[in-house]
Amino acid sequence: MESPAPQRRLRAVQFHLLPPTAAVDDPQPQLHANLSAGEFAHVQGYSVVLPEKLQTGKWNVYRSLHSPFELVTGFADHPEIGTLHDNFVRAAEVFRYHKSLGTRVRNDGTVGEYTWMTYGEAAAAREALGSGLVLNGIQKGACVGLFFINRPEWVIVDNVCSAYSFISVPLYDTLGPDAVKYVVSHANIEAIFCTPDNLNTLLSFLSEMPSVALIVVVGGIYEHLPSLPSITGVKLMSYLKLINQGRNSLQPFSPPEPEDIATICYTSGTSGTPKGVVLTHGNLIASCAGFSRSFRFYPNDIYLSYLPLAHIYERANVIVGQYFGGAAGFYQGDNLKLMDDLAALRPTVFASVPRVYNRIYAGITNAVKTSGVLKQRLFRAAYNSKKQAIMSGLNSSPMWDRLVFDKIKAKLGGRVRFMMSGASPLSPDVMDFLRVCFGCHVTEGYGMTETCSGMAMTEEGDTLSGHVGSPNAACELKLVDVPEMNYTSEDQPHPRGEICVRGPSVFQSYYKDEIQTKEVIDDDGWLHTGDIGLWLPGGRLKIIDRKKNIFKLSQGEYVAPEKIENVYAKCQFAAQCFIYGDSFKPCLVAIVAVVPDVLKQWAASEGIKYEDLGQLCKNPRARSAVLADLNAIGKEAQLRGFEFAKAVTLVPEPFTVENDLLTPTFKIKRPQAKAYFARAISKMYSELSISDDATEKTG
């Protein structure tokens, strides 16, 4: 019998061979040539597979089919673009009179129609503002903080940093004072741009931030700015004053090199202090160029910017939009008024997160359920017909759009042609639902701050849901065995393991933190993400687990709570869900932050009386109804028996950054949530124990 190693090598050679029929018709060699990673590549649908080290015979490295033999470092049509500064300079020249940045918020704070800056006007503002910073002593290489939510000035300040070789450091407006203070001190930030509502926060601990020399206030009534004692050594001025200073004495640009630091993005972990992810201009250009190999935007595209620009996902979207000359319109700053902004802007490109898409899905399905029998039947007929056409690669009848789906499309303005989802897994049902109802391409991406956003994304034309697609052309991926969780590259029918990534789009280090850098980047340059994935046929990556957030139940079963929370996200009653398991207990329990309107509507249909939402959440019938819905969704998703929550507590208040249950990237802080809901968790386990005892006695 042959040993495993020769067998693997034999299979590797067979992978190079084209089908016999191809060999007859094509006189070319029957091998795929590879000019860089080894000598050959095996095509798998949307990816190619390469050997990490040819002598091992292990074919485990996946790359994009769009650039299999060379990882992308720049835009194919404009290889001269090596920095964010280069990218914007070209955009300002080519699209000078095109719309660039739009807002509905007037100077007095009222809201109206969108007004726009052109690329040329944005370029002029960038030069004047950057000159103002130079005149006030901010030198090349200095860190500049951005402490406000999305608005045109955010992008202009970021472009200033690129033009004058400053390092931009986003400060989450939801980080809280302690984290802001830490980041400012850790990065030695010299200038901070903030809005009036954040100014008081900064001033309250100004003495603890000795590196700060300049604070610039964006928006508000400038004549009401407080005066600071000269002893502080800090200048306080308005955005308009700084621009006027610079306009009167323009300073030359100090263009960066691709290897220069563009930004330090502090990621907020579920515990501990924030880590500063150092991203170079080359990192960001590579990632965005890799994205552009798969998707194309146009100068007439309009994008709604409302996801936090402090997060790399939104920032990368804006950079790509600038490359293609698209326009970015900003929301008015209130998520509750987002639908109003969508109606006014009528975007063609919409990026969001599963939490928002789940709410859209729940809102539409609940509306259909209460619309009457005839409308329900019409919706089902339209949905099934259009879905079948999409899955078959055919065009559906336009009749269904006129009768049903045009009204749904109007919810997002009626012109969306491209939708993106990121930050966490999107349910396959919700993905299919969006494709059918909005009649546009919907892509799901997977990435992290350390990879400049997307390291993988679903391709246009791929109608299979439930995966995150193939690698970005600027990086390569592999899976590494995790034996303690029984995940290996030899698993059948799909290889499984921890996702590792390497390439020009991957960060080099955490700022001033060599120890944590070495914990995630190995000697061969692979970044270990902590996520567990598997390869589906066609070279598609599917996220199935998380290496860190696992715990063992008393019977020895390992549980990944995030996987279950993503399944339960489809529950019509649940705005958010926290799953908890105790190693001394045999089952899971759930904390559900309810959707108030849905729960109240259910209560009315059941004739349940209550004084307030808090009282309704404690109602045993309400808890039973939510648990029944969770069970139904769990069965549909084929959760294993021990993965079902056996009890649920309903809470009226959402998990938020303010109550310290969420990170600014909206991930649950598990240690904090465990402590916050300790009494409720203990009570659920006590009730389950009593129930089990009663069952044993009657049995």
Side-chain angles (χ1 to χ4, degrees):
M1 177 178 287
E2 290 183 283
S3 67
Q7 287 178 345
R8 288 198 302 271
R9 290 189 175 89
L10 179 60
R11 287 199 300 271
V13 172
Q14 290 173 334
F15 277 148
H16 302 315
L17 299 178
L18 292 170
T21 53
V24 172
D25 299 332
D26 188 354
Q28 299 299 316
Q30 291 177 253
L31 296 175
H32 298 280
N34 180 351
L35 304 180
S36 60
E39 297 182 6
F40 309 106
H42 172 49
V43 178
Q44 274 202 9
Y46 298 98
S47 301
V48 297
V49 190
L50 307 167
E52 182 179 1
K53 297 175 181 176
L54 189 60
Q55 58 267 40
T56 67
K58 186 151 185 164
W59 290 65
N60 63 336
V61 175
Y62 285 67
R63 288 184 178 179
S64 168
L65 191 63
H66 297 290
S67 186
F69 303 133
E70 184 177 13
L71 294 178
V72 166
T73 58
F75 295 99
D77 296 338
H78 293 279
E80 74 278 7
I81 296 176
T83 66
L84 299 182
H85 175 62
D86 297 336
N87 188 51
F88 186 76
V89 165
R90 173 189 165 270
E93 290 174 352
V94 176
F95 309 111
R96 175 163 293 274
Y97 301 107
H98 289 239
K99 293 177 180 177
S100 174
L101 306 171
T103 181
R104 303 184 67 194
V105 182
R106 302 187 182 103
N107 290 334
D108 62 1
T110 59
V111 175
E113 293 302 311
Y114 274 91
T115 58
W116 295 90
M117 295 179 74
T118 65
Y119 273 90
E121 290 167 339
R126 171 197 56 160
E127 186 175 13
L129 191 67
S131 298
L133 288 175
V134 173
L135 293 170
N136 279 277
I138 307 303
Q139 299 182 356
K140 181 176 181 177
C143 286
V144 175
L146 294 88
F147 191 26
F148 55 103
I149 64 173
N150 300 27
R151 53 189 292 162
E153 293 90 344
W154 207 107
V155 177
I156 292 170
V157 173
D158 201 33
N159 288 333
V160 164
C161 291
S162 298
Y164 289 87
S165 290
F166 304 139
I167 299 170
S168 65
V169 183
L171 299 167
Y172 300 102
D173 63 308
T174 51
L175 269 180
D178 290 341
V180 170
K181 186 169 35 176
Y182 171 82
V183 171
V184 171
S185 299
H186 189 255
N188 291 314
I189 290 175
E190 295 182 28
I192 300 178
F193 288 78
C194 70
T195 43
D197 52 332
N198 287 329
L199 178 60
N200 288 335
T201 300
L202 289 176
L203 296 181
S204 68
F205 48 77
L206 187 59
S207 61
E208 300 175 65
M209 301 186 298
S211 62
V212 177
L214 176 66
I215 296 176
V216 183
V217 180
V218 181
I221 302 173
Y222 298 121
E223 57 265 28
H224 291 170
L225 291 180
S227 58
L228 299 181
S230 58
I231 193 173
T232 64
V234 178
K235 295 180 185 177
L236 178 63
M237 68 174 64
S238 72
Y239 179 88
L240 286 181
K241 182 178 179 180
L242 186 64
I243 267 195
N244 287 332
Q245 278 187 2
R247 189 177 290 125
N248 293 329
S249 181
L250 294 176
Q251 303 296 305
F253 294 142
S254 298
E257 297 297 327
E259 62 271 17
D260 289 340
I261 299 173
T263 186
I264 303 174
C265 293
Y266 281 81
T267 62
S268 51
T270 55
S271 61
T273 55
K275 294 178 294 186
V277 179
V278 176
L279 299 176
T280 66
H281 287 269
N283 290 149
L284 288 159
I285 290 298
S287 178
C288 294
F291 176 89
S292 72
R293 297 294 176 100
S294 299
F295 302 104
R296 184 175 184 85
F297 295 159
Y298 301 93
N300 60 352
D301 271 322
I302 298 177
Y303 175 74
L304 176 67
S305 178
Y306 82 97
L307 296 171
L309 272 164
H311 300 171
I312 200 65
Y313 174 25
E314 180 72 356
R315 206 154 162 204
N317 292 341
V318 170
I319 294 169
V320 171
Q322 287 181 341
Y323 174 76
F324 288 110
F330 294 86
Y331 80 136
Q332 58 187 288
D334 185 347
N335 283 330
L336 296 178
K337 297 177 180 177
L338 192 62
M339 302 311 290
D340 186 36
D341 294 333
L342 284 162
L345 184 64
R346 302 186 65 225
T348 59
V349 178
F350 182 67
S352 195
V353 294
R355 189 171 65 159
V356 172
Y357 287 130
N358 289 339
R359 296 277 69 83
I360 292 173
Y361 171 85
I364 295 171
T365 53
N366 287 336
V368 170
K369 287 177 184 177
T370 59
S371 64
V373 176
L374 289 178
K375 288 186 176 180
Q376 284 186 54
R377 288 178 178 172
L378 175 63
F379 181 85
R380 280 199 298 268
Y383 183 87
N384 292 334
S385 175
K386 191 171 180 180
K387 181 179 178 181
Q388 186 175 11
I390 290 172
M391 295 304 176
S392 304
L394 304 173
N395 293 324
S396 66
S397 170
M399 173 187 68
W400 297 126
D401 286 334
R402 289 195 300 269
L403 288 175
V404 177
F405 299 116
D406 282 350
K407 298 171 187 174
I408 295 175
K409 293 177 188 177
K411 300 287 186 184
L412 298 184
R415 296 194 303 181
V416 173
R417 67 168 189 85
F418 186 85
M419 300 174 82
M420 291 181 278
S421 180
S424 61
L426 183 66
S427 161
D429 289 345
V430 175
M431 168 78 94
D432 292 340
F433 188 85
L434 294 172
R435 284 174 174 156
V436 172
C437 291
F438 292 97
C440 65
H441 176 69
V442 183
T443 187
E444 181 174 4
Y446 163 63
M448 54 200 300
T449 306
E450 288 85 344
T451 62
C452 296
S453 191
M455 70 177 95
M457 64 208 75
T458 55
E459 294 278 352
E460 198 159 1
D462 184 3
T463 57
L464 181 69
S465 303
H467 63 92
V468 294
S470 56
N472 181 312
C475 65
E476 55 190 0
L477 305 177
K478 71 172 182 177
L479 302 182
V480 173
D481 294 352
V482 186
E484 66 271 24
M485 297 177 70
N486 295 319
Y487 293 130
T488 77
S489 58
E490 304 297 327
D491 288 345
Q492 296 296 330
H494 310 300
R496 302 186 298 177
E498 181 183 7
I499 300 166
C500 295
V501 57
R502 183 173 67 179
S505 60
V506 179
F507 87 127
Q508 299 301 307
S509 68
Y510 292 117
Y511 191 56
K512 300 179 182 176
D513 197 338
E514 187 178 348
I515 293 176
Q516 290 206 69
T517 301
K518 288 184 176 180
E519 286 179 0
V520 296
I521 299 180
D522 64 27
D523 292 339
D524 292 322
W526 290 99
L527 168 64
H528 293 245
T529 67
D531 292 316
I532 305 295
L534 63 78
W535 289 113
L536 292 172
R540 303 169 172 109
L541 180 67
K542 180 181 177 69
I543 313 299
I544 59 171
D545 211 337
R546 178 73 183 159
K547 187 178 178 182
K548 293 180 181 177
N549 293 331
I550 59 172
F551 45 75
K552 186 188 291 186
L553 297 177
S554 62
Q555 69 271 44
E557 299 286 2
Y558 283 98
V559 174
E562 289 174 337
K563 166 192 169 185
I564 300 167
E565 287 160 359
N566 288 329
V567 169
Y568 284 165
K570 288 176 60 181
C571 173
Q572 62 176 326
F573 299 104
Q576 295 155 302
C577 180
F578 168 59
I579 292 293
Y580 178 76
D582 191 310
S583 59
F584 296 100
K585 306 291 182 182
C587 62
L588 305 175
V589 294
I591 305 288
V592 168
V594 300
V595 180
D597 292 345
V598 175
L599 189 64
K600 289 176 181 178
Q601 188 177 17
W602 170 85
S605 69
E606 295 290 319
I608 295 175
K609 306 295 182 183
Y610 57 92
E611 292 182 3
D612 54 37
L613 184 61
Q615 186 185 55
L616 178 57
C617 286
K618 295 176 182 177
N619 187 289
R621 289 173 60 191
R623 291 175 62 186
S624 296
V626 173
L627 187 60
D629 198 39
L630 294 176
N631 286 338
I633 291 167
K635 289 176 183 176
E636 184 181 347
Q638 298 182 335
L639 292 181
R640 293 171 292 180
F642 61 85
E643 292 179 315
F644 283 80
K646 299 302 182 185
V648 64
T649 292
L650 309 182
V651 294
E653 304 87 7
F655 310 160
T656 66
V657 176
E658 289 73 22
N659 61 23
D660 202 33
L661 296 179
L662 292 183
T663 72
T665 52
F666 306 118
K667 293 181 174 64
I668 294 175
K669 290 185 171 182
R670 298 194 175 277
Q672 288 85 338
K674 175 186 174 183
Y676 192 88
F677 296 115
R679 292 181 63 182
I681 290 169
S682 177
K683 184 178 179 182
M684 283 189 284
Y685 276 125
S686 295
E687 291 172 350
L688 287 169
S689 177
I690 293 170
S691 175
D692 289 343
D693 289 344
T695 302
E696 289 179 11
K697 290 176 182 178
T698 55

